């Protein structure tokens, strides 16, 4: 179980329920909200291919792993998890998901632990969420609501705030049902078949829709701005290398190791949200732009992916994508499948495997035998084994990135005349010099390794490049 990270400068808001069944905001005196985590385990049938969101495949994950991940998500917003239960369900109820007996058991647990919040690690319909809150008299949120809450906490830039708000409003738009039923008692002679409550719901829905349209326009401007930035970067053609992976796979730690940046990197789900770009030098002097993006997670809400499409365009446009995997996690195979499914939905991966490179991270957390076995398997899988924390394998990773971006290394012997010595500094900067011979006539002979692209650049500087075609 992960220990929630303290947040002394921010109190967690909780919602209590009064005798009338209405929710009131209140600050927890201790600054911490106690929560119960429920992981429904549907036992009726196995999910068939194509039954996932948007027709995607459902990745079956062990219930114990789902439980640990749900605890980690709760800890990411400083919640104190009083209990975390796996709840088998043989017959899901449309009204409450759980059966009547299980609802009473959970109510007793809520009262025993003094919890103010229940997290259900499963999508809930608006009716189910409302009925649970009425029965248990505490706030209930599902997996999507919890992820949105985390994203709301992590967003720090204007773009991130806009994207999170858009996703949240799209989520809330379908949850206005029966929010205003208390007004239906005040029926009058206006001829409204649905009653005043229905009128209030429609008014709220229109307000939400107006705000959604405004946010979409602002995000369109963000998208255009990003396109302009990419166009400017293409004028100085530095290749783009993007880090992707499951949340808490160590992307930000690897990003800091490669670039010397100080991006927040903690053992916490969704520790960073807003994308970061930095320049990075490769071993032979070439410069690339490294992009750190938001981590992915299983069952990521579709409207959340849509809201962050402007940010994820950096991944779509990247020349090379590094898929960072936490090899110390027993659920790593399912996590990799989730990441690949999201990338496929974005149209990434259609240009062939050479654009993707797997980085097997956190090898320092493995036993020596397991780490050695991982390294032996990495060769056949064309993966790179690293520890972003202590730097093991990072040099090999940089060399492979350079080979993928610029091509394989080639050894050349170059003789510079006395009138070409100005090229020497370029050779030392972009090549790996193995030997140098100074001749009596003032010329210099250099043996060095170059990438294919740098070798072609050297030919052009020495006047050995292809001559331009002549039109007749």
């Amino acid at each position: 179980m992960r220990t929630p990270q303290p947040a002394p400068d921010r109190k967690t808001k909780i919602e209590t329920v009064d005798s009338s069944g209405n929710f009131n905001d209140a600050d927890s005196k201790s600054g911490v909200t106690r929560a119960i985590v429920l992981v429904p385990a549907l036992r009726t049938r196995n999910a068939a291919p194509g039954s996932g969101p948007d027709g995607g495949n459902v990745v079956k994950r062990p219930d114990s792993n789902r439980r640990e991940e749900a605890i980690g998500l709760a800890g990411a917003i400083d919640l104190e998890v009083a209990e975390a239960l796996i709840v088998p369900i043989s017959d899901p109820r449309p009204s409450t998901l759980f059966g009547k007996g299980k609802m009473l058991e959970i109510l007793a647990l809520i009262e025993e632990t003094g919890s103010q919040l229940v997290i259900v690690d499963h999508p809930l319909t608006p009716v189910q969420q409302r009925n649970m809150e009425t029965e248990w008299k505490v706030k209930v949120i599902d997996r999507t609501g919890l992820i949105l809450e985390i994203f709301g906490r992590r967003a720090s830039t204007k773009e991130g705030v806009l994207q999170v708000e858009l996703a949240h409003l799209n989520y809330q738009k379908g949850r206005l049902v029966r929010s205003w039923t208390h007004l239906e008692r005040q029926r009058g002679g206006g001829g409204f078949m649905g009653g005043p409550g229905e009128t209030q719901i429609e008014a709220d829905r229109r307000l939400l829709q107006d705000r959604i349209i405004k946010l979409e326009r602002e995000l369109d401007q963000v998208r255009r701005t990003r396109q302009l930035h990419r166009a400017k970067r293409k004028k100085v053609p530095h290749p783009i290398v993007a880090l992707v992976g499951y949340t808490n796979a160590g992307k930000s730690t690897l990003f800091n190791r490669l670039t010397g940046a100080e991006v927040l990197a903690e053992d916490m789900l969704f520790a960073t949200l807003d994308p970061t770009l930095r320049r990075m030098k490769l071993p032979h002097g070439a410069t690339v732009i490294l992009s750190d993006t938001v981590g992915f997670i299983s069952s990521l809400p579709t409207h959340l992916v849509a809201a962050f499409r402007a940010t994820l365009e950096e991944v779509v446009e990247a020349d090379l994508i590094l898929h960072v995997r936490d090899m110390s996690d027993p659920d790593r195979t399912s996590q990799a499948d989730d990441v690949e499914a999201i990338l496929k939905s974005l149209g990434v991966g259609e240009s062939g495997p050479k654009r993707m490179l797997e980085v097997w991270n956190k090898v320092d957390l493995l036993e020596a035998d397991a780490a050695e076995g991982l390294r032996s398997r990495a060769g056949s899988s064309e993966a790179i084994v690293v520890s972003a924390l202590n730097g093991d394998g990072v040099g090999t990773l940089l060399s492979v990135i350079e080979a993928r971006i610029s091509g394989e290394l080639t050894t050349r012997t170059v003789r510079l005349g006395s009138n070409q010595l100005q090229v020497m500094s370029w050779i030392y900067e972009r090549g790996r010099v193995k030997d140098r011979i100074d001749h009596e006539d003032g010329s210099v002979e250099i043996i060095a390794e170059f990438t294919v692209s740098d070798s072609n650049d050297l030919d052009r500087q020495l006047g050995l490049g292809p001559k331009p075609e002549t039109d007749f």
Side-chain angles (χ1 to χ4, degrees):
M1 180 183 297
R2 284 188 174 89
T3 303
Q5 299 293 327
D9 59 339
R10 176 188 295 168
K11 288 189 176 181
T12 304
K13 284 281 188 180
I14 64 173
E15 289 183 316
T16 59
V17 182
D18 58 23
S19 57
S20 302
N22 298 320
F23 288 104
N24 299 313
D25 288 337
D27 283 325
S28 172
K29 294 180 181 179
S30 63
V32 177
T33 299
R34 293 174 65 83
I36 291 177
V37 174
L38 304 177
V39 181
L42 303 181
R43 304 301 189 194
T44 52
R45 57 187 179 275
N46 294 325
S51 60
D54 300 330
N57 292 335
V58 173
V59 180
K60 179 62 177 174
R61 308 176 66 212
D63 295 329
S64 59
N65 293 348
R66 291 176 54 206
R67 175 181 177 273
E68 291 303 312
E69 182 175 273
I71 293 172
L73 288 171
I77 53 173
D78 310 322
L79 297 175
E80 178 186 340
V81 179
E83 289 286 347
L85 306 176
I86 298 173
V87 185
I89 301 177
S90 58
D91 185 19
R93 302 294 178 88
S95 59
T96 56
L97 183 62
F98 305 111
K100 185 176 181 180
K102 185 61 66 176
M103 292 288 290
L104 292 175
E105 288 181 23
I106 296 171
L107 175 59
L109 184 61
I110 293 171
E111 294 174 347
E112 178 185 346
T113 58
S115 299
Q116 303 102 354
L117 177 68
V118 174
I119 299 169
V120 182
D121 189 55
H122 187 80
L124 295 178
T125 66
V127 172
Q128 288 172 342
Q129 182 178 4
R130 182 69 176 177
N131 289 340
M132 287 178 178
E133 290 176 340
T134 302
E135 180 79 16
W136 295 334
K137 293 182 170 53
V138 294
K139 181 65 178 176
V140 177
I141 59 174
D142 62 3
R143 181 181 178 87
T144 300
L146 180 57
I147 293 174
L148 286 172
E149 178 67 22
I150 296 171
F151 275 40
R153 292 283 191 93
R154 298 289 181 265
S156 58
T157 64
K158 180 181 178 182
E159 176 187 353
V161 171
L162 288 175
Q163 292 174 130
V164 171
E165 185 179 356
L166 176 60
H168 183 75
L169 290 178
N170 280 317
Y171 174 72
Q172 285 295 113
K173 188 169 63 173
R175 296 180 179 264
L176 296 175
V177 180
R178 299 185 65 81
S179 297
W180 293 89
T181 51
H182 63 284
L183 292 179
E184 292 184 356
R185 304 189 192 100
Q186 305 170 8
R187 293 186 181 274
F192 296 101
M193 295 295 293
E198 186 70 18
T199 304
Q200 183 63 58
I201 290 173
E202 291 302 322
D204 281 0
R205 187 170 288 124
R206 282 194 296 273
L207 289 173
L208 279 177
Q209 188 61 38
D210 290 344
R211 179 62 180 162
I212 287 172
I213 292 173
K214 182 180 179 182
L215 288 173
E216 288 175 342
R217 288 173 180 168
E218 292 186 38
L219 284 174
D220 281 340
Q221 182 60 45
V222 170
R223 188 174 292 108
R224 287 193 292 269
T225 302
R226 283 192 174 275
Q227 290 173 349
L228 289 174
H229 290 170
R230 281 194 292 269
K232 289 181 179 179
R233 288 200 298 265
K234 287 179 180 179
K235 293 180 180 179
V236 182
H238 294 318
I240 306 295
V241 179
L243 296 174
V244 301
Y246 208 80
T247 180
N248 206 33
K251 297 183 302 301
S252 295
T253 303
L254 182 60
F255 182 85
N256 292 340
R257 170 71 62 176
L258 294 175
T259 64
E262 296 182 356
V263 173
L264 176 64
E266 295 184 9
D267 185 17
M268 181 187 299
L269 301 181
F270 297 117
T272 55
L273 175 61
D274 296 302
T276 308
L277 288 84
R278 293 287 188 276
R279 296 189 182 207
M280 179 180 70
K281 285 282 187 181
L282 296 177
H284 286 75
T287 300
V288 298
I289 303 295
L290 188 65
S291 172
D292 183 21
T293 59
V294 61
F296 298 152
I297 197 168
S298 64
S299 304
L300 193 64
T302 305
H303 53 264
L304 192 57
V305 176
F308 277 79
R309 188 167 293 275
T311 297
L312 296 175
E313 282 179 358
E314 296 293 346
V315 178
V316 177
E317 297 290 333
D319 299 278
L320 178 64
I321 298 172
L322 305 183
H323 179 184
V324 183
R325 297 178 58 187
D326 178 3
M327 302 307 288
S328 68
D329 195 313
D331 203 25
R332 57 183 178 269
T333 301
S334 297
Q335 292 177 356
D337 291 339
D338 288 323
V339 172
E340 290 170 4
I342 295 174
L343 291 177
K344 185 177 179 180
S345 71
L346 295 172
V348 176
E350 300 173 354
S351 56
K354 287 299 181 182
R355 193 183 171 199
M356 296 282 296
L357 175 63
E358 284 201 358
V359 180
W360 293 356
N361 191 25
K362 300 192 180 182
V363 66
D364 55 290
L365 299 180
L366 299 175
E367 298 292 338
D369 293 343
E372 190 58 33
L374 196 66
R375 290 188 177 93
S376 63
R377 287 196 293 118
S380 59
S381 302
E382 295 188 355
I384 308 299
V385 178
V386 304
S387 169
L389 192 62
N390 59 33
D392 289 348
V394 170
T396 302
L397 174 61
L398 288 172
S399 298
V400 174
I401 292 174
E402 188 170 55
R404 290 285 186 97
I405 293 292
S406 304
E408 298 293 336
L409 296 178
T410 179
T411 302
R412 291 188 54 178
T413 300
V414 181
R415 183 157 183 163
L416 302 176
S418 56
N419 61 337
Q420 297 176 311
L421 296 182
Q422 70 276 8
V423 183
M424 191 182 305
S425 62
W426 185 93
I427 292 176
Y428 273 91
E429 180 182 352
R430 303 297 290 271
R432 182 178 298 173
V433 177
K434 292 185 171 182
D435 195 10
R436 168 177 169 169
I437 303 173
D438 295 303
H439 296 281
E440 293 182 357
D441 61 356
S443 62
V444 177
E445 188 173 342
I446 297 177
I447 301 175
E449 288 182 336
F450 300 93
T451 63
V452 174
S453 60
D454 285 342
S455 180
N456 294 333
D457 287 343
L458 178 60
D459 285 340
R460 283 190 288 271
Q461 294 203 38
L462 297 177
L464 304 176
K467 296 181 180 180
E469 296 181 1
T470 304
D471 295 331
F472 292 97

